[in-house]
Amino acid sequence: MTAKDDSAPPRTDPSPDQHAGCAFCQARERTEWCGLDRADVKTIDEVKSARTYMPGDVLYHQGDSCAGVYCVRAGLIGLRKLDHDGNSALVRLAYAGDTIGYRSFLAGETHHLSAEVLKPSRVCFIEQATARRILEGNPALGLRFLRHATRDLDDAEDKFLQSTNSDIRMRMAHLLFILKDRFATENKDGRMTLELPLSRQDMAAMIGVRPETMSRAIRKLEDDGLAFFSGRTVRVPDTAALFAEIEFEH
Amino acid sequence: MTAKDDSAPPRTDPSPDQHAGCAFCQARERTEWCGLDRADVKTIDEVKSARTYMPGDVLYHQGDSCAGVYCVRAGLIGLRKLDHDGNSALVRLAYAGDTIGYRSFLAGETHHLSAEVLKPSRVCFIEQATARRILEGNPALGLRFLRHATRDLDDAEDKFLQSTNSDIRMRMAHLLFILKDRFATENKDGRMTLELPLSRQDMAAMIGVRPETMSRAIRKLEDDGLAFFSGRTVRVPDTAALFAEIEFEH
DNA sequence: CGCCAGGTTGATTTCGCTCAAGCAATGTGG
DNA sequence: CCACATTGCTTGAGCGAAATCAACCTGGCG
């Protein structure tokens, strides 16, 4: 599935940045690439290809050989892993500023995950040789990636521990707690509204349960008046009450 | 792959101090530090402190501020995380050649895990300022750490998926499959003997179950003639049969 | 229109957790 | 050296939460 390629003229575009250059990238400050010198930025600008993707598009599939890394300029990408039943489970989300595919790139292996666009996104592709050259010339760049990776690792380990000693309601509350930072569309007094870009199945996968179980968990939260789900929007009348479900962790 | 890294008999101290220098380190080829130039190795040799630890010793506790990184020269270290009930769960193992504590070091945070010695070990400590200086001067060094971290991350994600769609017997078999590379003491025809440095509780934590459940799982494996546990040694009469329990994954 | 994927709901089962007791090995103080 | 506590492991009984199986509903789409 191809999306349009807008190199020159602006279009109706999720992220209205007319300029393809990294210098104009809104997200650059948030990326690992932020400390590069002018020459390196120029190099990247010359070789990278920027594209706009729509939900459902796939940047790469699990098992594909890795041709380079992707830098998310705007939008949202979901990283999935096929479980042995054939269906895929959402493992992690990548936001504007995140660079993805760098793991397989580093290891020189095929992709371990698939990358699927969840919200209209603008993504730059930096091909392998360039990425490697720049990476090797910039110690700080690698260190920023390293820091990012270690944070993800901590999260993953927490998630595992949590899955063994928290019940679903608690994990659900925790998930909403994580998501609220990115997807809260309103937030006044104690109330809050979330606009999640996730299907039920994806939410279920994120906390490691079956869709049916997710459905029931949602039902219970609604019965208790903690959160109301309608399609992909969630209304939380009392934020504090919902997050009181989460025991002391960290 | 040979399983034993220390050829010395177990009751004497793993290594007396004569050769503290990294130049003599058996594990150096396996560490991330392997590509350093002579000057950097010398720097490390001068500032590092090497020590021998015995099982039960703790390198650092979760919550301690991070003073530097530890490089495991020989032996085995267990990384634990306290869960909110107060007891600690084994999260990961660190072998000869591994450098630990680098995550908190990079993030400039307190340690997220505790590091406890499981087998007599020889560990070098490299204090923060030096580590940082060398790391910043060696792009390749950071990249090797990065590669290591991403591999750990993959493992962690697999572990999570596995915990949601494999039953305990399968996870158990998988654990033994992982451990056999390091702890198989004998391995002829189809038979195999493991000498695990882990308590039942630790094994239970590694696959995310309660000790009682682990006990029962072991019982079942024995009833089925797949593996026989006696103390910390495991006898496997038919390796292929045991690992047939593991469904096709990754 | 019929088809299909995603979602909800209900009935049933099963796996692993909790609680509780017993046991062996080790340690401690009298 | 023995009585006693402690810790790690095993086993049993019962329970409960989540998976499974199955039906049904909904909206989107060819």
Side-chain angles (χ1 to χ4, degrees):
Chain A
M1 302 297 139
T2 40
K4 44 251 141 196
D5 184 353
D6 61 334
S7 29
R11 279 175 184 245
T12 55
D13 209 358
S15 58
D17 44 12
Q18 292 86 331
H19 311 285
C22 294
F24 300 95
C25 179
Q26 304 269 341
R28 188 152 76 98
E29 288 313 304
R30 264 170 291 163
T31 72
E32 276 81 15
W33 310 88
C34 65
L36 296 188
D37 61 29
R38 202 153 311 203
D40 282 336
V41 173
K42 189 155 170 292
T43 307
I44 291 180
D45 262 345
E46 280 163 4
V47 302
K48 83 174 185 209
S49 54
R51 277 192 46 193
T52 299
Y53 297 87
M54 296 307 283
D57 291 351
V58 172
L59 300 184
Y60 52 82
H61 285 278
Q62 180 173 344
D64 286 355
S65 70
C66 175
V69 300
Y70 295 82
C71 183
V72 183
R73 187 160 177 163
L76 181 71
I77 313 294
L79 298 167
R80 303 179 173 285
K81 178 170 284 191
L82 297 161
D83 60 8
H84 47 44
D85 318 324
N87 29 20
S88 71
L90 189 59
V91 170
R92 205 152 27 87
L93 297 173
Y95 304 96
D98 286 349
T99 299
I100 60 180
Y102 70 90
R103 298 205 255 160
S104 323
F105 160 68
L106 286 166
E109 296 169 359
T110 60
H111 287 293
H112 296 182
L113 277 57
S114 304
E116 180 193 326
V117 176
L118 297 179
K119 274 165 60 171
S121 298
R122 180 121 186 102
V123 181
C124 298
F125 174 74
I126 301 164
E127 145 284 326
Q128 208 157 16
T130 311
R132 180 147 287 129
R133 200 169 61 248
I134 292 178
L135 199 53
E136 278 163 3
N138 287 274
L141 179 57
L143 291 184
R144 276 191 293 271
F145 277 112
L146 179 50
R147 215 161 286 146
H148 192 118
T150 58
R151 206 164 303 132
D152 284 349
L153 183 48
D154 278 331
D155 290 346
E157 281 167 358
D158 280 339
K159 197 169 151 187
F160 180 76
L161 279 200
Q162 207 187 17
S163 78
T164 73
N165 48 27
S166 305
D167 64 1
I168 296 216
R169 162 187 279 251
M170 199 184 290
R171 275 144 71 190
M172 187 73 203
H174 187 87
L175 179 63
L176 291 175
F177 184 76
I178 301 294
L179 294 174
K180 79 163 198 312
D181 295 331
R182 303 277 185 171
F183 304 110
T185 53
E186 261 187 88
N187 200 334
K188 38 188 170 186
D189 357 327
R191 306 191 306 116
M192 173 171 80
T193 304
L194 305 183
E195 190 64 47
L196 302 181
L198 301 173
S199 66
R200 295 293 137 98
Q201 302 193 119
D202 284 342
M203 293 180 63
M206 288 193 82
I207 62 173
V209 299
R210 305 290 156 198
E212 300 96 316
T213 308
M214 168 60 64
S215 233
R216 286 184 246 272
I218 287 176
R219 189 66 156 68
K220 258 194 204 161
L221 286 178
E222 290 179 337
D223 288 348
D224 296 352
L226 289 172
F228 299 90
F229 293 69
S230 153
R232 295 186 173 192
T233 76
V234 187
R235 200 169 48 75
V236 180
D238 183 350
T239 310
L242 175 61
F243 295 144
E245 294 293 319
I246 310 173
E247 294 299 310
F248 35 95
E249 50 207 313
H250 97 225
Chain B
M1 314 275 158
T2 47
K4 284 215 135 219
D5 36 36
D6 52 355
S7 43
R11 53 161 187 269
T12 54
D13 258 12
S15 73
D17 261 59
Q18 24 264 50
H19 301 299
C22 295
F24 300 96
C25 179
Q26 303 269 338
R28 188 151 76 98
E29 287 313 305
R30 262 170 292 164
T31 70
E32 277 80 13
W33 311 88
C34 64
L36 296 187
D37 62 28
R38 201 154 309 204
D40 282 336
V41 173
K42 189 155 172 289
T43 307
I44 292 180
D45 261 346
E46 280 164 4
V47 303
K48 83 175 186 208
S49 54
R51 271 195 51 194
T52 298
Y53 296 87
M54 295 307 283
D57 292 350
V58 173
L59 300 183
Y60 53 81
H61 286 276
Q62 180 174 344
D64 287 355
S65 71
C66 175
V69 300
Y70 295 82
C71 183
V72 182
R73 186 161 178 163
L76 182 72
I77 313 294
L79 298 167
R80 303 180 173 284
K81 177 170 283 189
L82 297 161
D83 62 8
H84 46 45
D85 319 324
N87 28 21
S88 71
L90 188 60
V91 169
R92 206 152 25 89
L93 297 174
Y95 304 95
D98 286 349
T99 299
I100 60 181
Y102 70 90
R103 298 206 255 159
S104 323
F105 160 68
L106 286 166
E109 297 169 359
T110 59
H111 286 292
H112 296 182
L113 277 57
S114 304
E116 180 193 328
V117 176
L118 296 179
K119 274 167 59 173
S121 298
R122 180 122 188 101
V123 181
C124 299
F125 174 74
I126 302 164
E127 145 285 327
Q128 209 157 15
T130 310
R132 182 146 286 129
R133 200 169 60 249
I134 291 178
L135 199 54
E136 279 163 3
N138 287 275
L141 180 57
L143 290 184
R144 275 191 293 271
F145 276 112
L146 179 49
R147 216 161 286 148
H148 192 118
T150 58
R151 208 163 303 132
D152 284 349
L153 184 47
D154 278 332
D155 289 346
E157 281 167 358
D158 279 340
K159 198 170 151 187
F160 180 77
L161 278 201
Q162 207 186 17
S163 77
T164 74
N165 48 27
S166 306
D167 64 1
I168 296 210
R169 161 187 281 250
M170 200 184 290
R171 276 144 71 193
M172 186 73 202
H174 187 87
L175 179 63
L176 290 174
F177 184 76
I178 301 295
L179 294 175
K180 81 163 198 310
D181 294 331
R182 301 276 185 172
F183 304 110
T185 55
E186 259 188 273
N187 199 335
K188 38 187 170 185
D189 353 329
R191 307 191 306 117
M192 173 172 79
T193 304
L194 306 183
E195 190 64 47
L196 303 181
L198 302 172
S199 67
R200 296 291 139 100
Q201 303 192 115
D202 283 342
M203 293 179 63
M206 289 193 81
I207 62 173
V209 298
R210 306 290 156 198
E212 300 95 316
T213 306
M214 167 60 63
S215 231
R216 286 184 246 272
I218 287 176
R219 190 65 155 71
K220 260 194 203 161
L221 285 179
E222 290 179 338
D223 289 347
D224 295 353
L226 290 171
F228 299 90
F229 293 70
S230 152
R232 294 186 172 191
T233 78
V234 187
R235 199 167 49 75
V236 179
D238 182 350
T239 311
L242 175 61
F243 295 143
E245 294 293 318
I246 310 172
E247 293 300 308
F248 35 95
E249 56 202 310
H250 123 139

